[in-house]
Amino acid sequence: MELFKEDFPTEKELLIADGAPIKDVARRIGTDVSERARAKGEAFSAEIATRFVSDFEKPGDKMAHVSTFAVMGDTVYMTYYANTKEPAEDPKNQTARLAFAPLGDMESKTYLDLQTTGDTVGGKVIDMVYDTVLMKKDEHTLYLMWTARAEKNYYRFYCPFDVRTKTPGEIGVNKFKVGNTVNDLSKSGIRAALAENGIPCKKMYSDIGIMQKQSRRMENGVAYCYTGLYSGDFSCIVKSCDLITWEYVAQPDFINDSKWENATFVLSDTVYYFVRQQNENPCGFLTAYHLPTGKWHPPVEIEDCQSRGDFILYRDNLYLFHAPLDREHIGIVKINTEDLAKSEVVLQAKMQTSCYYPFVQYYGDGELAMSYTVQGKKIRLAKFDLHRYTE
């Protein structure tokens, strides 16, 4: 079978949506927080430093970034992309990688390079590699997923990984579905599918991405995984029942300043949504999409340095992790799922190292852990007890 498919030959023109600062917000959550929130932040920062698990970059890496981890059985798996040639975030010199180690022996790591610039896949030469994530397909299978450019078009690739045999399967290309239109999940495929269905699209540029946080919802007896998809200023909610074909769900219907990564989490009939904005904007925004009615909640601005955020559901409460001041700070906001405007800051932490792109996931026995990038060089994992700060 051919790896790449031609885009649906639409004759419709793509509708371009405007981007601008939000005019009407329900509330603005600032960085001038209480002494209690700062004290909790100090404790959180200290706990992350003392409960260090391991670093996962490969010896010899000059740069590493964008982590995702999962614990399955007695092994922790970590994905990221790395530059082995120079200490720079340059997709022309990057590799998509999986690293894993037994929980009881973090020194015994195995490294698997999934794709490197210069590789040939499906007859096309890869000239750029970017965001690399993993998702859990079932109890025995991970899907390793990354962005790469071939012939001036960005694609999302995936590769199944059997955790029993510790072996990867064949590389495939993800699909993007809008209505009855199904294209490769590529920059051109997204644009053509949206155009064919008359759905507006904000300006897309550079790579495309899928957020790594999985949340699930049953729909007509089928389990769907929800997450966020983005490229440049365009961001939307997508869902998939197989982690291969991703279906367009919705994008905010109000004018906003969005840019790059959008965190999502579905609870019952509502998808909670946080996205960073243009660099000169002091805030990201939090909103929610009600699936049965197609209505969006009035947005809440949250002061942010314009970095990647992440949701976690913990003891039946939803929390947002984000970068309130810079990438050496972490803020945690407890989401009021009944009224977003009543969401409150739990803590604001000045971390002991840089803490780029935190990803929060369960580590085992109800414990949480956070993976993050340190100064663009280390992929670090540390455990923490969220209960200490929320109760």
Side-chain angles (χ1 to χ4, degrees):
M1 295 180 63
E2 293 184 3
L3 186 64
F4 300 96
K5 302 295 183 183
E6 293 292 329
D7 293 337
F8 181 83
T10 184
E11 296 181 357
K12 298 180 181 179
E13 185 175 348
L14 180 65
L15 303 174
I16 301 300
D18 293 328
I22 301 170
K23 289 186 177 181
D24 298 310
V25 297
R27 183 188 169 203
R28 181 168 177 168
I29 297 175
T31 55
D32 186 12
V33 300
S34 68
E35 288 299 324
R36 180 175 174 81
R38 288 194 180 92
K40 288 183 178 182
E42 290 181 4
F44 176 79
S45 176
E47 184 178 13
I48 290 296
T50 57
R51 299 189 68 190
F52 167 83
V53 175
S54 186
D55 289 331
F56 283 80
E57 72 283 353
K58 187 177 181 178
D61 285 347
K62 307 297 184 183
M63 186 282 307
H65 195 25
V66 182
S67 63
T68 310
F69 77 93
V71 174
M72 297 183 70
D74 62 354
T75 304
V76 58
Y77 299 88
M78 182 79 72
T79 54
Y80 55 93
Y81 64 83
N83 189 330
T84 61
K85 298 179 180 179
E86 58 178 344
E89 188 175 340
D90 183 353
K92 294 179 181 179
N93 290 321
Q94 289 173 179
T95 295
R97 181 180 295 142
L98 169 71
F100 55 92
L103 291 173
D105 184 9
M106 285 294 158
E107 299 303 314
S108 299
K109 292 186 179 66
T110 300
Y111 301 94
L112 175 63
D113 288 352
L114 305 169
Q115 194 172 87
T116 299
T117 52
D119 289 355
T120 298
V121 181
K124 298 188 179 195
V125 177
I126 301 299
D127 63 7
M128 291 187 181
V129 172
Y130 229 93
D131 285 16
T132 306
V133 303
L134 63 78
M135 290 188 178
K136 182 178 177 180
K137 170 66 175 176
D138 54 45
E139 294 302 316
H140 304 299
T141 313
L142 289 171
Y143 270 30
L144 315 174
M145 307 160 69
W146 65 95
T147 303
R149 195 181 77 168
E151 298 182 0
K152 298 183 179 181
N153 198 12
Y154 276 98
Y155 293 88
R156 288 296 300 192
F157 292 93
Y158 71 92
C159 175
F161 183 85
D162 191 318
V163 301
R164 295 166 295 186
T165 61
K166 303 292 192 291
T167 55
E170 295 184 358
I171 292 174
V173 176
N174 286 109
K175 303 298 179 182
F176 184 64
K177 181 178 181 181
V178 186
N180 294 319
T181 307
V182 181
N183 286 336
D184 284 351
L185 182 37
S186 65
K187 186 174 179 179
S188 65
I190 293 170
R191 291 169 63 89
L194 293 174
E196 175 63 19
N197 289 271
I199 296 173
C201 178
K202 296 177 76 174
K203 183 180 179 181
M204 294 174 60
Y205 44 87
S206 190
D207 64 316
I208 58 177
I210 293 178
M211 291 293 281
Q212 60 266 65
K213 181 53 59 69
Q214 294 177 266
S215 56
R216 298 187 183 275
R217 182 176 187 262
M218 293 298 297
E219 299 177 2
N220 299 318
V222 178
Y224 278 89
C225 169
Y226 276 74
T227 193
L229 181 145
Y230 58 90
S231 177
D233 297 346
F234 170 71
S235 62
C236 68
I237 301 167
V238 290
K239 67 178 183 179
S240 177
C241 61
D242 60 8
L243 304 186
I244 297 174
T245 298
W246 292 91
E247 302 179 33
Y248 174 88
V249 176
Q251 61 184 300
D253 60 359
F254 49 88
I255 294 177
N256 61 76
D257 228 1
S258 65
K259 181 180 181 180
W260 297 127
E261 299 93 346
N262 56 327
T264 68
F265 204 98
V266 65
L267 290 176
S268 185
D269 290 336
T270 302
V271 183
Y272 297 90
Y273 185 101
F274 176 78
V275 65
R276 59 196 284 188
Q277 298 193 86
Q278 301 298 318
N279 294 345
E280 62 273 13
N281 194 313
C283 298
F285 70 85
L286 171 71
T287 183
Y289 180 69
H290 189 239
L291 291 161
T293 62
K295 292 184 178 180
W296 287 89
H297 190 285
V300 173
E301 289 187 330
I302 300 179
E303 289 189 17
D304 189 87
C305 75
Q306 306 313 347
S307 190
R308 176 182 290 205
D310 187 36
F311 287 109
I312 190 70
L313 184 67
Y314 179 76
R315 299 192 178 184
D316 297 324
N317 290 303
L318 186 63
Y319 298 91
L320 171 69
F321 284 64
H322 74 112
L325 294 169
D326 53 38
R327 290 180 177 180
E328 293 187 357
H329 280 79
I330 283 183
I332 302 178
V333 178
K334 183 177 181 180
I335 307 301
N336 187 311
T337 55
E338 299 298 322
D339 183 355
L340 297 183
K342 295 181 180 179
S343 300
E344 295 295 339
V345 174
V346 173
L347 63 81
Q348 182 172 286
K350 173 66 169 68
M351 307 304 289
Q352 297 185 22
T353 68
S354 62
C355 202
Y356 301 176
Y357 285 22
F359 175 73
V360 181
Q361 188 60 281
Y362 283 89
Y363 192 79
D365 298 326
E367 278 194 307
L368 292 176
M370 181 175 72
S371 64
Y372 55 98
T373 304
V374 180
Q375 295 180 339
K377 295 180 180 180
K378 293 183 174 296
I379 300 295
R380 184 158 293 177
L381 184 65
K383 295 189 288 186
F384 66 98
D385 181 3
L386 187 57
H387 182 69
R388 291 180 58 192
Y389 314 105
T390 59
E391 299 295 334

